[in-house]
Amino acid sequence: MKKTDWPIRWDLLLRYRLIEIIALWEGRLTTNHICHAFGIGRQQASKDINTYLREVAPGNLEYDRHLKGYVPAHQFRPAVTQGRSDEYLEVLGRDHALSETFESLDLGLPNTEILHIPRRLAEPDVVRPIVMATRQGRRLEAEYFSLSNPQGERRVIEPHTLVYSGQRWHVRAWCECNSEYRDFVLSRFRGDPQVLPERSRHKARNDEAWNTQVTIILRPDQRLTEQQQDIIANDYAMTNRELRVETRGSLVRYLLSLAGLGVDMPKRDPLIQQIELANAEALEAWL
């Protein structure tokens, strides 16, 4: 087996992914991209590109003397990425976030402006024990505040999974007070949560809503014209004007909220809403 065969060493995999992403979506890759992104010398960056071409994806890139950089070959096929635009956009987002923290950091990517909704903050002293209890499968005692109980109360929970819903982090856990699995927003824990010595008795495998696979079917808003619906279908790479999204029963509400289709959201102008839920009746148990 070649040293670059899977599993590829993590740091090399990140470099190979950047090589593919920059070459594919910007059309020109230089050693500067690798040097600036990973803080390595030009010789090492050149070696990474050559190893990628020799052992990971032969023939994927060609050197263009006029552009003084590597460009995607006609037969380019992604080897360590999926060739999706969101992979490039995520790189831009990380570049923007790092540049905000470290003013002198320049990854050599195009100027970008990223909009973020206000973040729900959680303190490290609160998050650490929650992560520990989740990973070790232990019970956790903590003070938790909610809109229904703004004074706060002590809760004993048995967490099994941390979840990012696109807008906030929460932990999926068995709640001993309510005798059911619930979602607890990380920013609403207070004080000093205590990891208890007892092992959790309610595991992820016992969480029915978590383990139930559900298909959400999205389609262009039917109030749009046929031509407008075709544009929306193309935006989302729909098949026969339908986009099927697989998720967990307990995550349906979060996914619909991200799509602007939350159960509490009023129906908006079709030019603004653009998509709608096609199988609401089948999802009724999760809404």
Side-chain angles (χ1 to χ4, degrees):
M1 177 182 291
K2 298 177 182 178
K3 64 180 180 180
T4 51
D5 283 347
W6 186 261
I8 300 172
R9 204 175 74 215
W10 180 248
D11 59 329
L12 288 177
L13 178 60
L14 293 179
R15 295 180 207 172
Y16 295 154
R17 282 178 57 83
L18 187 66
I19 287 170
E20 277 194 1
I21 289 170
I22 296 300
L24 179 60
W25 296 102
E26 291 194 8
R28 175 178 177 268
L29 169 78
T30 69
T31 53
N32 282 339
H33 287 108
I34 313 301
C35 294
H36 292 161
F38 295 100
I40 60 177
R42 189 177 302 277
Q43 184 176 357
Q44 181 62 54
S46 179
K47 178 181 178 182
D48 290 339
I49 295 174
N50 289 329
T51 303
Y52 168 83
L53 286 172
R54 183 177 65 253
E55 300 183 12
V56 178
N60 252 8
L61 306 178
E62 297 174 346
Y63 188 79
D64 188 309
R65 295 186 180 278
H66 176 70
L67 294 177
K68 296 182 179 180
Y70 292 88
V71 299
H74 178 71
Q75 70 273 18
F76 180 94
R77 293 293 182 274
V80 290
T81 66
Q82 294 181 311
R84 300 197 317 256
S85 60
D86 58 329
E87 293 172 317
Y88 175 61
L89 298 176
E90 287 171 3
V91 169
L92 295 182
R94 287 196 297 270
D95 178 28
H96 186 271
L98 288 170
S99 297
E100 286 183 334
T101 305
F102 307 102
E103 293 183 1
S104 62
L105 183 63
D106 177 16
L107 303 189
L109 300 178
N111 292 335
T112 58
E113 186 65 33
I114 310 295
L115 298 180
H116 296 286
I117 61 173
R119 295 179 177 89
R120 303 192 184 198
L121 302 178
E123 296 298 326
D125 289 344
V126 171
V127 174
R128 281 195 297 267
I130 296 174
V131 172
M132 182 182 298
T134 302
R135 290 184 173 175
Q136 295 182 359
R138 298 185 183 276
R139 298 166 71 234
L140 181 85
E141 183 177 3
E143 188 176 16
Y144 188 76
F145 290 74
S146 64
L147 297 182
S148 60
N149 194 343
Q151 290 77 33
E153 63 179 329
R154 298 297 294 180
R155 298 278 189 108
V156 175
I157 63 174
E158 299 178 16
H160 68 69
T161 307
L162 291 170
V163 178
Y164 182 60
S165 67
Q167 297 174 325
R168 67 186 188 187
W169 280 95
H170 68 259
V171 61
R172 182 76 175 171
W174 172 264
C175 176
E176 293 193 1
C177 176
N178 296 285
S179 297
E180 64 180 6
Y181 288 96
R182 289 194 170 191
D183 300 331
F184 295 90
V185 182
L186 294 192
S187 60
R188 293 181 180 172
F189 287 94
R190 299 286 189 276
D192 187 16
Q194 299 295 313
V195 179
L196 303 177
E198 300 87 2
R199 293 283 183 179
S200 300
R201 292 175 298 148
H202 300 84
K203 309 292 186 180
R205 62 177 178 271
N206 306 124
D207 188 344
E208 181 179 355
W210 178 260
N211 290 299
T212 301
Q213 291 297 308
V214 177
T215 301
I216 295 175
I217 302 177
L218 303 175
R219 66 186 179 190
D221 193 307
Q222 300 297 284
R223 295 172 294 172
L224 296 172
T225 66
E226 295 290 317
Q227 291 81 3
Q228 290 172 330
Q229 289 185 44
D230 286 338
I231 292 173
I232 300 303
N234 183 71
D235 284 346
Y236 290 90
M238 295 182 179
T239 301
N240 297 324
R241 290 188 183 172
E242 284 190 351
L243 177 63
R244 293 175 175 266
V245 182
E246 303 294 329
T247 189
R248 300 178 184 274
S250 60
L251 301 180
V252 168
R253 292 173 64 94
Y254 299 113
L255 198 149
L256 291 179
S257 178
L258 278 178
L261 303 174
V263 293
D264 299 325
M265 296 180 179
K267 201 163 189 177
R268 298 165 294 170
D269 183 289
L271 293 178
I272 298 175
Q273 181 162 307
Q274 299 187 359
I275 60 174
E276 65 181 17
L277 182 60
N279 63 331
E281 291 185 3
L283 301 177
E284 188 172 351
W286 311 109
L287 300 179

